[in-house]
Amino acid sequence: MNVDLEDFQANRRQVSVASDQSDEIGPRLHHLRKGRGWTLQDASKASGISASAFSKIERGELSPTISTIQRIARGFDMDVVSLLSDPDAQPTLLGRRSVTRASEGKPHLSGNCDNKLLCAELKNKRMTPIKTRVVARDVEEYDVWPKTDAEIFMTILSGTVVVHSKIYEPLELHEGDSMYYDASAEHVWTRKGPEEAVVLWVLTS
């Protein structure tokens, strides 16, 4: 079943803060789609993202959330990092490892979260580690509550995060707290209190 355009955080605020990321991923998606001889409708069917939204992402008019990127990656039979990485990069040998220093990480911004993909140069990983600064303070700041068929592990590095779900009561997590959950239910995160809220989370591929 296709996901309507409303499944994206499509407001101008999101587009403006993440235009650089949209400029990167848009041409890449267009290249991948054309390389497979797919129409927008074919890409929509494979990913579950509406053709109109897919087109807007290709043109850099929408900045997709991490959950949306994962849906697209699954549709193209890729992992998230491979979808976001340079397609001409050389493959990594076995016995690989990757180090991301404290100030590093591949950025992907949305209107409600500032994400940094960790160890992003490694492709075809079985999990995607992400460090996120939660910006939203209220669920009303989300146009849509995202969901994905992945499982997520998260631990709070600083501050307080409230996890809102369509099937559970809001849950406060404080520094040092962790949670593992099935992300197939619609959910969002908000920050609480004066301190910056930072989350380390791992998304299954």
Side-chain angles (χ1 to χ4, degrees):
M1 179 181 296
N2 289 347
V3 179
D4 291 334
L5 182 59
E6 65 183 15
D7 274 359
F8 293 85
Q9 297 166 318
N11 54 23
R12 286 296 177 184
R13 176 192 63 212
Q14 183 184 26
V15 172
S16 62
V17 300
S19 58
D20 290 343
Q21 287 73 24
S22 298
D23 290 344
E24 284 185 11
I25 194 172
R28 192 164 299 151
L29 288 181
H30 182 79
H31 176 76
L32 285 170
R33 179 173 64 80
K34 290 296 186 180
R36 300 189 182 200
W38 287 4
T39 65
L40 285 169
Q41 287 70 29
D42 293 331
S44 174
K45 183 177 180 180
S47 64
I49 306 302
S50 70
S52 61
F54 205 101
S55 176
K56 286 181 178 289
I57 294 172
E58 285 190 350
R59 298 197 305 269
E61 296 175 6
L62 288 179
S63 178
T65 63
I66 293 293
S67 295
T68 298
I69 289 174
Q70 191 190 41
R71 289 187 181 187
I72 295 173
R74 284 180 183 273
F76 280 91
D77 194 26
M78 303 171 68
D79 68 293
V80 170
V81 171
S82 296
L83 184 68
L84 295 174
S85 299
D86 180 0
D88 297 323
Q90 295 298 313
T92 308
L93 299 176
L94 295 178
R96 60 190 183 163
R97 73 176 188 180
S98 175
V99 176
T100 300
R101 299 297 182 183
S103 60
E104 298 174 344
K106 183 178 179 64
H108 180 81
L109 311 183
S110 69
N112 306 301
C113 291
D114 294 345
N115 305 293
K116 283 190 176 181
L117 278 67
L118 308 179
C119 304
E121 70 275 13
L122 293 186
K123 297 183 179 181
N124 302 314
K125 299 195 294 291
R126 296 183 181 179
M127 56 186 178
T128 302
I130 304 169
K131 185 178 180 181
T132 294
R133 183 172 64 89
V134 181
V135 176
R137 288 187 172 273
D138 192 285
V139 296
E140 297 299 324
E141 296 179 44
Y142 288 86
D143 296 326
V144 154
W145 289 35
K147 62 180 180 178
T148 175
D149 56 358
E151 294 181 343
I152 290 175
F153 169 80
M154 62 186 296
T155 188
I156 311 304
L157 300 181
S158 65
T160 298
V161 172
V162 183
V163 181
H164 307 264
S165 169
K166 292 293 187 180
I167 59 176
Y168 293 109
E169 292 295 321
L171 174 66
E172 283 192 16
L173 296 175
H174 305 280
E175 182 176 334
D177 291 345
S178 301
M179 183 171 71
Y180 189 106
Y181 67 97
D182 178 347
S184 61
E186 295 170 311
H187 64 284
V188 295
W189 301 345
T190 58
R191 58 178 288 197
K192 182 177 181 180
E195 188 178 356
E196 183 177 71
V198 180
V199 179
L200 175 65
W201 57 296
V202 180
L203 183 74
T204 59
S205 63

